[in-house]
Every structure is written in C-alpha cells, then in structure tokens.
Amino acid sequence: MKIYNFSAGPAILPQSVIQKAAEAVTNYQGTGLSILEVSHRGSEFVSDMDKAISLVRELLNLPEGYEVMFLTGGASSQFFMAPMNLLNDNESAGYLDTGTWSSKAIKEAKAYGNIKVLASSKDSTYNHIPKGYDIPSDLKYLHLTSNNTIYGTQIHNLPNTSVPVICDMSSDIFSRPIDVSKYDIIYAGAQKNMGPAGTTLVIVKKSILGHVKRQLPSMLDYQTHIDNVSMFNTPPVFPVYVSMLTMQWIKDNGGLKGMAKRNDEKANALYTEIDRNPLFKGHAAVEDRSKMNVTFTLTDESKSDEFTKIYNSLNISGIEGHRSVGGYRASIYNAMDMEGINVLISAMQKLEKEA
Ligand code: PMP
C-alpha cells in the first residue's frame, strides 16, 4: 500500500534509496557484513565518505576554497558552532528573524558576540520574509534561514550585501541551484532533502576560519573536522551513506536544475489549488511562499474532521501543521512526486464537493 508522506522531517526519501540502504544493512558492498557493524576506517566506508563529499561539491558546483563536512549534533549545533568559530566577543553579527529556527540561532549566538536582529516577521506569525532592512557593513556576518520549515516561507532573493552570509539551508538544500560563492557557511540537517536524521552537512569558505581568539574544543572547531575529512571521531556512518545514495539519486535525476523544475511544478499545482478552492487559504505571503513546505488552513474550521477522514482514506500522511501555525503543512521535498501532489489536490477537491 502506497503512503503519501508529506512529513516535515525526517521526511520522504526516494524508494530506490531506501531499497539500497536496506541492502547495505544486510550486506554492505559485498563484504557480507552490515553497514551497521563495519569500521568507519575500512576502505568501503572511507570511499563512500569521499563519494558523499564529492557529490556535494559536484551538485552545488562548489568554487575553490570551500570545505565540506559531515558532522553530528543536528543543525541546532550549528546555531552555536558557527558564531563560536567566527565571532570574537567584541564583534557584531546580524540575524534575520524569520521563524522558530532563526530565533533559536539568535539565542545561541548571543553567548559569543554582539547579536543584532536586523528585522523580524514575528509579529505576523512569521508569514513573510522581511525586506528592505539595513545591513551595517561592519557586521562579521549576516545569518539567514533560507527556508522556514514551520511557517512555509522561503527566501527567493538573497539580500544585496558585501557582508559574509551564513545560511541555515536545512529544509531547502539541494532543492534548487544556488551560487555558493555568495555564502561563507551553509549548513543543513540531513533529514529533509539529503537523507535520514543523524548527520549535518556544513560547507565552509576556508578563508573565514582561524580569526577567533577563543579556545575552541577540538570537536567544535571546524578546522578539526576539515583536517580529518569528517573522521576526527566516529562519523554517523549510516546517515552519511544514505545521504550519499540520495545525492546520487539527485544527480541521476537531473541534478539541482532537475530538482528545481520538479519542485516548481509541484508547488505551483498545490498553491493553485489552495488559491482556487474556497475552503482553503495559504498562510505565507504569496511572494515568499516556500516550494518545500506548503502551509494552509481551512476557511471553515468545522470541516477539519471531514478533511482528516478524506485524506486518511487516501493514505496521505504527515500533513498536520506545526502547533505554532495550526492548519496543514504539506512538505513536498525532492522525493515527493507529482502523483502525491495530485492525490492531495484530489482530497481538497473531494472536501469541496462534499461541502
Ligand atoms: N533549521 C531548520 C530550518 C529546521 O527545519 C530544523 C529542523 N526541522 C532545524 C534547523 C533543526 O535541525 P536539527 O533538528 O537537525 O537540529
């Protein structure tokens, strides 16, 4: 029975990736051993880690001077690790507050320097991306969250600035081509477009490291992980392996241009139905709508039980909205296909017909 998985994360992965991951659990690369029981220093996994790093370089077309790491501790650990590695106590960094995850990043960064919140959309339940705010040129960096998983907003145009940009891309990495040269750090938890939970991708422009005065614990120093090719300690072997398989799937399916085309088609179809169907309305401002997390509510709350009955009967899973927004959130990451979108649209139309 096919389930249409709209979960926000951990989230849908390509079926072919899940199959290959399952094979590796019983017999990894023909070793007769499970990937769950082999050494990370064995030639098989060392080669898969190298493959994962090269796929990141290839898919994102990484310029010279950038390093790739697979770390642990989730994207949440990058909320403190990035400022710890970049910001001296007397220096300032700017943050754009576009949701729960940005505000968590702001809270953690405050321990390491002078943190300025340049703009916030908190007062309107984070339903848009602030624009036109001032970016002081003396900032050490500007921190952005490219896609706000909970609220369904996405930055479609980077602000124009010469200040180095750090970006949390947890929920839209690999969904569209990006110009990496515009960023100094990109980080992303794996568990949306990249793989299962358990590893965090970090891409760093090498020239920004080595300028902080504080003593960094080895595990929290980016340089440690760069010097040891993400093998300073035992890496999350299985999540890195499945991330490698997922990136290979992205490559085989048209790369980031191919993903962007599919994602545009899916998001357009779903937003068109939200705007057409009088029973639904979108949460996010139209120009800031996310192509990954589509948030919407019922115009008449009394229909919610009926809608739940309909979508459950169609095997639609994981569309309940985050508790801070309510309503519904359809997460339509790379691995969600048009068939799933059409099933969700048919559920919305069925509710309309029965109303
Ligand atoms: N940033 C964003 C945009 C997220 O969506 C999430 C988690 N959903 C996080 C950060 C936190 O990630 P983690 O749970 O890997 O720490």
Side-chain angles (χ1 to χ4, degrees):
M1 182 175 64
K2 183 163 177 177
I3 309 286
Y4 299 96
N5 181 8
F6 290 92
S7 169
I12 184 170
L13 288 173
Q15 274 305 312
S16 60
V17 166
I18 291 174
Q19 279 305 326
K20 285 181 190 150
E23 282 160 26
V25 169
T26 50
N27 183 1
Y28 177 48
Q29 311 277 30
T31 54
L33 296 170
S34 167
I35 187 165
L36 306 178
E37 59 180 355
V38 295
S39 166
H40 59 292
R41 309 247 177 236
S43 59
E44 289 82 10
F45 184 70
V46 168
S47 143
D48 280 332
M49 175 65 95
D50 287 345
K51 252 191 243 168
I53 293 172
S54 353
L55 278 162
V56 173
R57 288 190 177 281
E58 188 180 342
L59 289 174
L60 291 171
N61 200 10
L62 245 60
E64 280 291 302
Y66 284 80
E67 298 287 346
V68 175
M69 289 163 263
F70 285 95
L71 305 183
T72 50
S76 299
S77 292
Q78 296 309 306
F79 296 164
F80 60 82
M81 196 164 166
M84 228 177 165
N85 278 261
L86 298 192
L87 200 59
N88 283 307
D89 291 343
N90 59 344
E91 292 173 330
S92 301
Y95 278 67
L96 189 62
D97 178 23
T98 53
T100 305
W101 301 112
S102 318
S103 58
K104 290 190 177 183
I106 292 165
K107 175 173 180 271
E108 298 299 320
K110 283 184 175 163
Y112 304 102
N114 177 19
I115 301 305
K116 297 181 176 162
V117 179
L118 304 183
S120 171
S121 48
K122 188 173 185 185
D123 289 347
S124 47
T125 330
Y126 294 118
N127 70 354
H128 68 283
I129 304 286
K131 294 166 200 82
Y133 49 91
D134 189 42
I135 305 172
S137 56
D138 64 339
L139 295 177
K140 199 72 194 278
Y141 65 80
L142 167 67
H143 181 281
L144 304 171
T145 310
S146 55
N147 185 74
N148 298 283
T149 325
I150 294 176
Y151 304 92
T153 61
Q154 189 172 23
I155 296 178
H156 295 300
N157 297 300
L158 267 185
N160 200 0
T161 177
S162 55
V163 168
V165 174
I166 297 187
C167 192
D168 174 359
M169 286 193 196
S170 293
S171 51
D172 65 357
I173 187 103
F174 301 134
S175 69
R176 56 182 177 179
I178 51 162
D179 178 356
V180 174
S181 71
K182 297 206 161 119
Y183 302 86
D184 282 33
I185 294 187
I186 293 170
Y187 62 88
Q191 64 270 20
K192 285 106 162 62
N193 271 335
M194 195 172 83
T199 188
T200 307
L201 171 65
V202 182
I203 299 168
V204 175
K205 189 174 179 176
K206 244 177 20 192
S207 58
I208 59 158
L209 299 180
H211 304 301
V212 284
K213 297 194 182 78
R214 72 177 58 84
Q215 177 75 34
L216 298 168
S218 307
M219 271 298 282
L220 299 183
D221 186 342
Y222 288 132
Q223 198 60 51
T224 305
H225 299 285
I226 293 169
D227 292 344
N228 291 279
V229 199
S230 299
M231 298 255 199
F232 172 67
N233 70 320
T234 314
V237 170
F238 190 58
V240 170
Y241 179 69
V242 182
S243 297
M244 184 278 287
L245 295 175
T246 311
M247 289 188 281
Q248 185 63 50
W249 175 88
I250 293 172
K251 183 179 167 184
D252 295 344
N253 284 274
L256 300 192
K257 276 198 187 134
M259 293 300 116
K261 184 166 179 288
R262 277 161 60 102
N263 291 331
D264 282 352
E265 285 164 6
K266 292 179 314 187
N268 284 342
L270 194 46
Y271 284 120
T272 300
E273 177 60 17
I274 290 169
D275 292 339
R276 186 208 61 78
N277 192 323
L279 296 184
F280 295 95
K281 70 171 194 294
H283 172 73
V286 172
E287 72 274 16
D288 300 324
R289 281 175 163 175
S290 167
K291 292 179 181 173
M292 296 281 97
N293 310 96
V294 177
T295 47
F296 55 101
T297 51
L298 278 166
T299 48
D300 174 359
E301 270 304 314
S302 72
K303 302 223 166 8
S304 86
D305 286 351
E306 173 119 29
F307 187 48
T308 306
K309 224 183 281 166
I310 293 173
Y311 71 67
N312 281 339
S313 74
L314 292 169
N315 296 332
I316 288 172
S317 160
I319 66 160
E320 300 77 18
H322 189 271
R323 59 193 178 280
S324 54
V325 181
Y328 307 95
R329 167 175 54 173
S331 297
I332 54 173
Y333 299 119
N334 287 344
M336 170 60 64
D337 58 14
M338 199 61 202
E339 180 191 335
I341 304 293
N342 286 331
V343 171
L344 177 54
I345 291 173
S346 74
M348 296 164 81
Q349 295 182 345
K350 200 164 175 204
L351 183 70
E352 186 187 15
K353 276 195 199 104
E354 288 176 13

